[in-house]
Amino acid sequence: MKVITQREFRNQSAAVMDAVEAGETFHITRNGAEVAELRPLAKRRQPTTEELMSQARLLPRIDAAAMRQEADEFFGTEDRLGDDDDPFERV
């Protein structure tokens, strides 16, 4: 960890950011007091397809008819498309 002044950070920001990207951490001071820590973000790992599928299996099942009934009760049915109308169907 390096300690730099606000002025050093301002004047050498590109070099400081390159160092942070390489894994270095900086404490930035103003008038001799530390006011900030600049450190690299933790890299997030992308989940594998298998991990996503195993998580999806844990989700609750959806009852489409019950969901439609709840939506109709909440929103009403006057603007709803008919049961045979599929808004996502390609023409």
Side-chain angles (χ1 to χ4, degrees):
M1 182 221 25
K2 290 185 178 178
V3 178
I4 61 172
T5 66
Q6 176 184 4
R7 178 176 291 159
E8 288 173 306
F9 177 55
R10 182 190 67 216
N11 293 338
Q12 302 171 13
S13 62
V16 171
M17 295 304 287
D18 288 342
V20 170
E21 193 172 30
E24 215 167 316
T25 299
F26 290 85
H27 281 198
I28 302 171
T29 63
R30 178 190 288 167
N31 299 326
E34 290 185 0
V35 295
E37 179 180 75
L38 184 61
R39 60 183 168 81
L41 293 174
K43 298 219 186 291
R44 293 185 60 179
R45 184 183 67 82
Q46 292 288 344
T48 65
T49 303
E50 292 79 20
E51 290 170 334
L52 291 173
M53 293 299 293
S54 67
Q55 290 174 2
R57 286 186 198 101
L58 300 176
L59 294 173
R61 297 286 174 217
I62 295 174
D63 181 350
M67 187 170 128
R68 168 61 68 95
Q69 181 181 353
E70 288 177 16
D72 287 346
E73 290 169 4
F74 186 81
F75 296 109
T77 59
E78 56 274 356
D79 291 334
R80 181 165 57 87
L81 297 173
D83 290 331
D84 297 331
D85 297 328
D86 183 358
F88 302 106
E89 181 179 321
R90 292 185 179 210
V91 180

